[in-house]
Amino acid sequence: MKLRALAAVAALLTTAAACGGGSSGNQNSHALRMTIWTSNDAHLKLFNDIAADYKKTHPDITEIKFDSIPVESYTTTLTTQLAGKKAPDLAWILESSAPDFVASGALAPLKSKVENGAELVPSMTKLWEKDGELYAYPFSTSPFGVFVNTDALTKAGQDSPQKLIESGDWTWEKVAAVNAAVAAKGGNGLVIRDFDYKNWDNLASVWTGWGASAWSADGKTCGFNSPEMTEAMTFLHKAIFTDKAVPGPGTTVDFFTGDAAMTITQISRASLLKDAKFGWDLVPLPSGPKGEYFVIGQGGLGVLKKSKNAAAAADFLAFFTNQANSAKLAAYFPPPRSSQLNAETLAKSNPLLKRDQLDKVVVAGIGKGVVKPSHTGQAELAQTVRAALDPLWKPGANVKSVLDGVCTKIQPLLGS
């Protein structure tokens, strides 16, 4: 089953790449399209500003369009576009899809295109490399942190996150109790951003604290029914359905409008707090039973190899990710360049965040973090895990039984 799934994905990506991207119809001019998952106004403004700067010195580029696709359907929509001969010239690729895209041969090599590529941190490029070649530039390597509505905690009579950190109480057990206290006062507790009981891989920001993982390091053995994962998911189930510390399924809560006490997300969302009417802080993920830990989400920017505009797209990618623009992108997307991975540099592009916050969440996280789960055949794996976990998101669920069921479903996809 795994071989059939991998063959189908590889065939789809390779065939789609051969179909190419759009063309302006004039061999001397090019209209470029790049698919992205964000629709944040601040992100789009920055992207368009960089594109406008590029066009000033490249009159052959008639248009650079950033095509926003919702994150929950991003990879599915992208592969559908590829199959339907509507391939973009460049694509923002999520870390979960990296193994498939890199292995498929659909992406153009980039190592020689990247400005000062020698300073790219090896641990950040590993997921995007094959046989010594780089196939996507990891322009966003962003650790998860916890944004905290300090006013909500004060209202519920709870200590600030800084006090909890200083006293050694910034742990998952204490954080669950704090959010339960907020909920008991009529508020909403912790939101795991973009999870929404569908995107299960975002739960890695929780379960890694127990030393759990979706599968073994070699990708061959299911880890969902391990003792560590069972303990982590039991904790999470209790936090949702017993303690009410986490809003349950079907509940729409937005931390950035002041509706929740905490949210787990990345610094790219900090711009949403520009006009916040409440006090807030950004702190590292709570310690789990295995101690302090960090989890990273990555986004790679790649060029479709057989795009009719591949050469022009690669040239724009080189400009988009050069030293100067990488520093600008660092306002939302921590760069993979060693010279820019320090709180002082990041602070210049992140006026809403303090250097101490950037140092303890971003710099420390990149240095010590693990990347969210990814695997070849990820599309089928993701759907299978999501369906198998559905019974868990109900009161009274048998956590161990559900997790055993997940492994029963995905082990054939993991085995060679």
Side-chain angles (χ1 to χ4, degrees):
M1 180 179 287
K2 178 191 175 188
L3 294 178
R4 289 199 300 273
L6 292 179
V9 170
L12 172 61
L13 293 174
T14 304
T15 301
C19 296
S23 174
S24 65
N26 184 329
Q27 292 183 348
N28 297 317
S29 62
H30 307 277
L32 303 180
R33 181 170 69 92
M34 172 177 157
T35 54
I36 58 178
W37 69 258
T38 182
S39 59
N40 181 285
D41 288 341
H43 301 170
L44 293 174
K45 182 182 184 304
L46 176 56
F47 291 176
N48 283 306
D49 286 347
I50 294 174
D53 286 343
Y54 182 76
K55 289 173 63 179
K56 290 176 183 177
T57 55
H58 293 78
D60 57 313
I61 303 299
T62 59
E63 179 185 24
I64 300 176
K65 179 182 179 182
F66 297 98
D67 188 4
S68 297
I69 300 171
V71 65
E72 60 269 15
S73 60
Y74 182 81
T75 300
T76 300
T77 302
L78 175 57
T79 52
T80 299
Q81 287 186 7
L82 295 173
K85 301 182 180 181
K86 296 181 179 179
D89 301 293
L90 305 97
W92 179 340
I93 301 166
L94 304 179
E95 75 284 302
S96 58
S97 304
D100 284 326
F101 273 89
V102 171
S104 72
L107 300 174
L110 298 174
K111 193 171 184 178
S112 64
K113 304 292 184 181
V114 176
E115 180 181 279
N116 197 12
E119 75 158 348
L120 301 186
V121 179
S123 61
M124 298 186 194
T125 59
K126 182 179 179 180
L127 192 60
W128 311 95
E129 294 175 323
K130 179 183 178 183
D131 299 329
E133 181 56 77
L134 181 69
Y135 289 96
Y137 177 95
F139 80 99
S140 178
T141 297
S142 189
F144 286 85
V146 183
F147 284 92
V148 181
N149 182 330
T150 54
D151 288 354
L153 267 60
T154 299
K155 184 178 179 181
Q158 302 298 304
D159 287 337
S160 70
Q162 293 301 331
K163 284 187 177 181
L164 294 174
I165 290 171
E166 290 169 5
S167 64
D169 291 325
W170 187 243
T171 66
W172 270 116
E173 290 295 338
K174 182 62 176 179
V175 166
V178 168
N179 283 284
V182 172
K185 294 286 187 178
N188 292 297
L190 170 72
V191 176
I192 303 172
R193 185 82 174 188
D194 297 325
F195 163 48
D196 195 28
Y197 297 89
K198 299 173 185 176
N199 298 315
W200 56 269
D201 56 339
N202 283 325
L203 295 180
S205 61
V206 178
W207 74 49
T208 305
W210 276 256
S213 58
W215 35 74
S216 58
D218 63 8
K220 295 181 179 180
T221 305
C222 178
F224 276 94
N225 60 354
S226 68
E228 295 83 2
M229 183 69 82
T230 301
E231 186 178 346
M233 289 298 207
T234 298
F235 163 83
L236 185 60
H237 190 275
K238 179 176 181 292
I240 296 167
F241 296 104
T242 302
D243 302 334
K244 311 299 182 183
V246 177
T251 305
T252 301
V253 179
D254 186 1
F255 170 87
F256 295 96
T257 62
D259 290 343
M262 301 182 190
T263 189
I264 298 174
T265 191
Q266 297 154 300
I267 67 167
S268 59
R269 306 295 176 86
S271 61
L272 298 174
L273 291 167
K274 181 179 180 181
D275 300 315
K277 306 299 183 186
F278 55 91
W280 60 273
D281 198 356
L282 171 63
V283 293
L285 295 170
S287 296
K290 296 296 185 180
E292 180 187 76
Y293 69 101
F294 298 88
V295 176
I296 296 170
Q298 275 197 318
L301 180 56
V303 172
L304 275 302
K305 183 192 293 184
K306 296 296 180 69
S307 162
K308 294 178 182 178
N309 302 313
D315 191 71
F316 173 63
L317 183 148
F319 179 82
F320 190 85
T321 61
N322 67 22
Q323 292 279 119
N325 287 322
S326 180
K328 295 175 183 177
L329 290 166
Y332 312 106
F333 311 106
R337 297 183 177 278
S338 57
S339 65
Q340 297 173 335
L341 284 176
N342 56 76
E344 182 179 2
T345 299
L346 292 171
K348 294 177 182 177
S349 300
N350 292 272
L352 291 177
L353 298 175
K354 301 173 184 177
R355 290 189 183 186
D356 186 60
Q357 294 171 328
L358 291 165
D359 192 41
K360 293 181 178 178
V361 175
V362 180
V363 177
I366 289 174
K368 303 176 183 178
V370 298
V371 179
K372 286 170 56 183
S374 65
H375 200 288
T376 50
Q378 182 75 11
E380 184 175 4
L381 271 170
Q383 290 299 324
T384 303
V385 172
R386 174 179 168 179
L389 281 176
D390 276 347
L392 185 62
W393 312 129
K394 299 175 183 177
N398 185 317
V399 176
K400 183 65 167 62
S401 177
V402 171
L403 297 180
D404 283 340
V406 174
C407 283
T408 298
K409 293 289 186 181
I410 72 168
Q411 188 57 54
L413 303 179
L414 299 175
S416 58

